[in-house]
Amino acid sequence: MEIISVAIIPLMIFAIIAHATAKRVKVFDAFINGAKDGIDTCFRILPSLIGLLTAISMFRASGALTIITNFIAPVLSMIQFPKELVPLAFMRPISGSGALAIVRELLSKHGPDSFLGRATSVMMGSTETTFYTIAIYFGSINVKDIRYTVKAALLADLTGILVSVYVVRLLLC
Amino acid sequence: MLLNYIWGGLMLVSLATALFSGNLKEVTSAAMAGAAEAVSMSFSLLGMMCFWTGIMKIAQDGGFIGLFTRAMRPLIRLLFPRLPKHSKATDAIVMNITANLFGIGNAATPLGLKAMKELSLLNKSAVASNEMCMFVVINTASLQLIPSTVITLRQGAQNPFEIIVPVWLVSIAAITVGVTAAKLLALKE
């Protein structure tokens, strides 16, 4: 398993460049064009990142987060879900930048090789910004009734959030 | 949108809690630290993000992604059995899902919006069709082959990549639940 994890990225990059070279694509020109998109994306999320990271830091520093996590602690210990991951679980479906901010904070506080660091990473990598996606996709067409979409999507998120903790416990620790 | 309430709520609750608990000084310095942290975080992501979007652009231009698009087709037929085989909707869905798989967000979203438009032309109603719900549910799950952002954030780990296989397993579990729920709820209604 570890071999796959380490090898997939170099293998993929090799295959992509070899395939493109064989097709006579100007690979460096294409790379530069693509990298420009990365700059756009990075700076596009900056304002919301600033707003959300500030709000999350304040929420934590004020003690409000501790009050809430203490309140739901019994349920968490019942399902063996670490309380440190609760903010991410709530933020993930709502805001990508917000979730990113929380992941960054958890990683620097606990270290990427700790159980919490790994569980955070897996949770972040295996879930999406559900509400945002629903809003822009259905917002783009004339549909008033989106039926069971939210229910099914949140069920998938809940699965991702819970399973990432168990998978990390099982495979990486 | 939802974030207006959440952000406003976070700020107001933080400040009110700080007033009562006497953490005012901590909250103020947290605000300044948070804002600075956001900027340094963007910069730490910038390099790897650009590298990755650059590689993915090569994959797009060279037709590497096209290879996967073809392989994806039968799977999509399975999830959307009522769609005509070579409709524009099917094409857009297949391309959107492949773009998601390779983490090309700025290609996936326009393709996804196009898919929604094509689906709405087939639907002609203010109530979402089964296909629309299924398509959006799939897009709200993570399909990324390489979770590049998380890997970048894991700089400094002994092995930043060790999470790739676990991420796949969890994604598969989540998307299976989402797709099954969507199918079952469609039958129930």
Side-chain angles (χ1 to χ4, degrees):
Chain A
M1 194 185 78
E2 200 168 328
I3 300 173
I4 305 177
S5 290
V6 175
I8 178 94
I9 294 180
L11 278 180
M12 214 162 111
I13 295 175
F14 181 86
I16 286 169
I17 297 177
H19 183 261
T21 311
K23 296 265 173 185
R24 303 196 182 285
V25 171
K26 293 194 178 101
V27 283
F28 189 64
D29 292 351
F31 178 85
I32 299 297
N33 266 329
K36 275 184 202 145
D37 294 344
I39 297 182
D40 286 349
T41 315
C42 221
F43 284 109
R44 213 175 38 232
I45 66 168
L46 187 56
S48 62
L49 206 56
I50 292 175
L52 287 159
L53 223 149
T54 311
I56 293 163
S57 309
M58 288 168 72
F59 195 68
R60 189 179 306 260
S62 72
L65 185 66
T66 323
I67 297 173
I68 292 176
T69 39
N70 284 346
F71 189 68
I72 53 173
V75 184
L76 296 176
S77 66
M78 207 169 70
I79 55 170
Q80 299 191 333
F81 190 89
K83 65 174 193 299
E84 291 85 350
L85 298 180
V86 171
L88 179 61
F90 279 110
M91 187 53 89
R92 189 62 182 117
I94 299 158
S95 160
S97 333
L100 215 56
I102 297 176
V103 171
R104 159 89 161 189
E105 214 179 312
L106 281 170
L107 284 177
S108 61
K109 191 171 170 201
H110 300 278
D113 291 314
S114 63
F115 165 69
L116 283 174
R118 287 167 167 159
T120 314
S121 311
V122 174
M123 197 180 287
M124 182 70 191
S126 57
T127 44
E128 258 295 330
T129 318
T130 299
F131 286 111
Y132 177 75
T133 308
I134 293 177
I136 56 163
Y137 276 26
F138 275 118
S140 72
I141 54 171
N142 223 343
V143 162
K144 296 278 170 289
D145 181 0
I146 64 168
R147 297 163 69 202
Y148 50 81
T149 310
V150 174
K151 227 187 274 177
L154 284 184
L155 217 56
D157 283 343
L158 188 67
T159 310
I161 286 163
L162 293 178
V163 174
S164 34
V165 173
Y166 304 131
V167 164
V168 169
R169 227 176 241 144
L170 222 66
L171 294 182
L172 294 181
C173 286
Chain B
M1 234 183 72
L2 194 57
L3 265 178
N4 290 312
Y5 296 104
I6 290 169
W7 191 79
L10 277 174
M11 295 296 270
L12 294 176
V13 172
S14 309
L15 294 167
T17 316
L19 267 176
F20 282 110
S21 61
N23 288 340
L24 274 177
K25 219 171 78 194
E26 285 83 351
V27 167
T28 318
S29 51
M32 292 189 287
E37 172 82 3
V39 177
S40 69
M41 180 171 162
S42 284
F43 276 98
S44 73
L45 283 173
L46 187 61
M48 187 61 196
M49 197 179 253
C50 291
F51 175 73
W52 203 245
T53 50
I55 293 291
M56 284 308 151
K57 183 73 180 159
I58 301 177
Q60 264 176 303
D61 288 2
F64 188 79
I65 287 169
L67 300 175
F68 284 79
T69 312
R70 241 168 287 151
M72 198 61 77
R73 215 165 255 280
L75 196 69
I76 300 305
R77 301 271 312 139
L78 210 65
L79 290 173
F80 302 90
R82 293 198 306 193
L83 286 184
K85 201 168 183 174
H86 283 289
S87 61
K88 281 183 187 158
T90 317
D91 289 345
I93 291 175
V94 171
M95 285 192 283
N96 161 272
I97 291 181
T98 328
N100 271 319
L101 210 56
F102 284 92
I104 327 175
N106 43 9
T109 309
L111 286 166
L113 296 178
K114 181 164 191 300
M116 287 306 273
K117 199 181 141 224
E118 295 297 336
L119 288 174
S120 73
L121 291 177
L122 295 171
N123 186 34
K124 299 187 189 83
S125 147
V127 180
S129 64
N130 289 355
E131 285 74 21
M132 288 176 187
C133 297
M134 177 62 86
F135 178 63
V136 173
V137 168
I138 292 173
N139 262 278
T140 64
S142 174
L143 305 159
Q144 254 192 79
L145 214 48
I146 312 285
S148 49
T149 312
V150 180
I151 291 173
T152 312
L153 282 177
R154 288 175 56 77
Q155 282 161 355
Q158 281 170 17
N159 175 8
F161 311 107
E162 67 185 356
I163 53 138
I164 292 180
V165 175
V167 163
W168 290 348
L169 296 176
V170 177
S171 300
I172 291 169
I175 202 163
T176 310
V177 168
V179 166
T180 315
K183 284 274 183 205
L184 290 178
L185 289 165
L187 283 176
K188 214 180 94 190
E189 270 184 16

